[in-house]
């Protein structure tokens, strides 16, 4: 069964500008600019200026005559756009903790906070090196065995933390016993006290 019109509206806070052209979204805010391409999705994305219905600018994502699968994409892309808006205003921060039973895991931040080298994982000599994505930095928090990954783009920050976690997977051993690794312990924002004002 097809739905006549599925529509999601994302409000744009003050201090943030969003432009949409040909399903390419550019979001500019106090922390910088993020760009995203949604050309693979068959739907309409446009920016509505304030009117009688909305007192603030809004980004409208809609689909006409879509089936259930098509309509689910509307909310997904609206969520992506909201994450871009939050990213250029507050920024994203993931904290990760080192877990080890015997061999202490050592890490070294290199390339001006753009890469991390992990040593002595399970006593291995191999150096694991993980590069950060564009606009993402990794640094020590000052607390023992903890690092933080931060940036404006949620997807890139989460990909980098996943890459660090995957670099320290235990292989050929019982993972119920060998719980060593680097795990995400906390997800938050860089500027916690900033509120989105509409």
């Amino acid at each position: 069964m097809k739905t006549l019109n599925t529509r999601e509206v994302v409000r744009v806070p003050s201090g943030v500008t969003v432009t949409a052209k040909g399903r390419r979204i550019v979001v500019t805010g106090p922390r910088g600019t993020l760009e995203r391409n949604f050309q693979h999705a068959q739907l309409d994305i446009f920016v509505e200026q304030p009117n009688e219905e909305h007192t603030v600018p809004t980004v409208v994502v809609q689909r006409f005559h879509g089936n259930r699968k098509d309509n689910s994409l509307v909310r997904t892309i609206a969520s992506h756009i909201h994450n871009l808006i939050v990213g250029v205003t507050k920024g994203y921060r993931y904290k990760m903790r080192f877990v080890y039973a015997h061999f202490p895991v050592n890490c070294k931040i290199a390339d001006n906070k753009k890469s991390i080298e992990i040593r002595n994982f399970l006593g291995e000599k191999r150096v694991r090196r993980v590069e950060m994505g564009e606009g993402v930095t990794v640094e020590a928090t000052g607390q023992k065995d903890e690092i933080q990954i931060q940036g404006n783009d949620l997807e890139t920050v989460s990909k980098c933390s996943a890459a660090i976690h995957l670099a320290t997977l235990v292989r050929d051993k019982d993972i119920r016993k060998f719980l060593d690794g680097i795990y995400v312990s906390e997800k938050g924002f860089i500027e916690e006290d900033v509120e989105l004002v509409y």
Side-chain angles (χ1 to χ4, degrees), residues 46-158:
F46 56 91
V47 180
E48 261 187 4
Q49 295 308 318
N51 52 29
E52 304 86 40
E53 198 178 329
H54 302 288
T55 56
V56 295
T58 55
V59 182
V60 179
V61 183
Q62 67 178 4
R63 166 84 194 218
F64 288 96
H65 304 293
N67 58 27
R68 188 173 168 182
K69 195 172 180 181
D70 301 330
N71 295 341
S72 65
L73 192 60
V74 173
R75 181 66 185 264
T76 301
I77 288 181
S79 297
H80 281 312
I81 295 169
H82 177 72
N83 289 341
L84 294 176
I85 291 169
V86 173
V88 296
T89 50
K90 299 171 93 170
Y92 292 99
R93 174 190 289 144
Y94 278 27
K95 289 187 178 178
M96 303 186 80
R97 297 294 301 266
F98 301 167
V99 176
Y100 52 85
H102 186 271
F103 295 102
V105 178
N106 300 325
C107 83
K108 180 186 169 195
I109 312 294
D111 298 337
N112 198 17
K113 300 181 182 178
K114 295 300 289 179
S115 69
I116 181 170
E117 293 176 354
I118 302 155
R119 290 184 167 84
N120 200 38
F121 177 71
L122 291 178
E124 295 175 9
K125 297 291 184 197
R126 183 165 80 87
V127 177
R128 293 160 164 82
R129 184 180 171 88
V130 181
E131 301 285 341
M132 296 296 108
E134 188 181 347
V136 176
T137 60
V138 59
E139 58 190 14
T141 60
Q143 192 173 341
K144 187 175 182 288
D145 296 333
E146 188 177 65
I147 57 171
Q148 65 183 14
I149 296 101
Q150 53 188 24
N152 292 346
D153 189 4
L154 175 63
E155 195 161 307
T156 316
V157 170
S158 55

Side-chain angles (χ1 to χ4, degrees), residues 166-183:
L166 289 171
T168 57
L169 284 183
V170 177
R171 303 192 187 278
D172 303 325
K173 291 182 177 65
D174 186 355
I175 58 171
R176 295 169 299 180
K177 183 73 176 170
F178 291 84
L179 300 170
D180 297 40
I182 303 178
Y183 298 94

